[in-house]
């Protein structure tokens, strides 16, 4: 089973929930991992059995990066807030870099996330 990582900065959590709602039928066919609050919100609202990592500032981005590096995450959807500085920016940049190093598709906004899932869906047919 393929794995999708879901991450959303605080200002993007509601957008992530809306995104998950729009793609729930597809997402339930994957193993999902997420940083703490994002995963808890998705589990609470949609019961998708998301595997929970630490929160981003506490190392969750690095945990997901490690999963990418060890080929245990196939796709990453990271709804980033580009307008606010993040205290763990180096961890975020490391995650983006590791996705590039390991050629793992990464969507950083809702539109690219829709495109990514459209691609993923076409590969399942």
């Amino acid at each position: 089973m393929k794995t999708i990582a879901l991450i959303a900065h605080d200002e993007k959590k509601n957008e992530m929930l809306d995104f998950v709602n729009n793609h729930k039928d597809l997402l339930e066919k994957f193993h999902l991992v997420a940083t703490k609050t994002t995963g808890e919100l998705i589990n609470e609202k949609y019961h998708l059995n998301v595997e929970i990592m630490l929160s981003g500032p506490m190392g969750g981005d690095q945990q997901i990066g490690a999963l990418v590096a060890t080929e245990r995450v196939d796709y990453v959807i990271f709804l980033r807030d580009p307008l606010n500085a993040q205290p763990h920016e180096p961890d975020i940049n490391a995650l983006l870099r590791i996705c590039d190093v390991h050629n793992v598709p990464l969507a950083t906004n809702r539109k690219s996330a829709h495109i990514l899932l459209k691609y993923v869906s076409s590969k399942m047919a």
Side-chain angles (χ1 to χ4, degrees), residues 39-60:
E40 287 174 347
L41 289 169
I42 293 168
N43 279 341
E44 192 175 289
K45 190 157 187 170
Y46 300 111
H47 311 288
L48 287 175
N49 196 30
V50 178
E51 181 182 351
I52 307 292
M53 302 287 124
L54 296 171
S55 69
M58 299 303 291

Side-chain angles (χ1 to χ4, degrees), residues 24-47:
K24 185 178 178 211
D25 290 341
L26 178 60
L27 291 172
E28 65 190 5
K29 297 175 182 173
F30 291 86
H31 174 237
L32 302 173
V33 298
T35 48
K36 186 174 175 56
T37 307
T38 301
E40 287 174 347
L41 289 169
I42 293 168
N43 279 341
E44 192 175 289
K45 190 157 187 170
Y46 300 111
H47 311 288

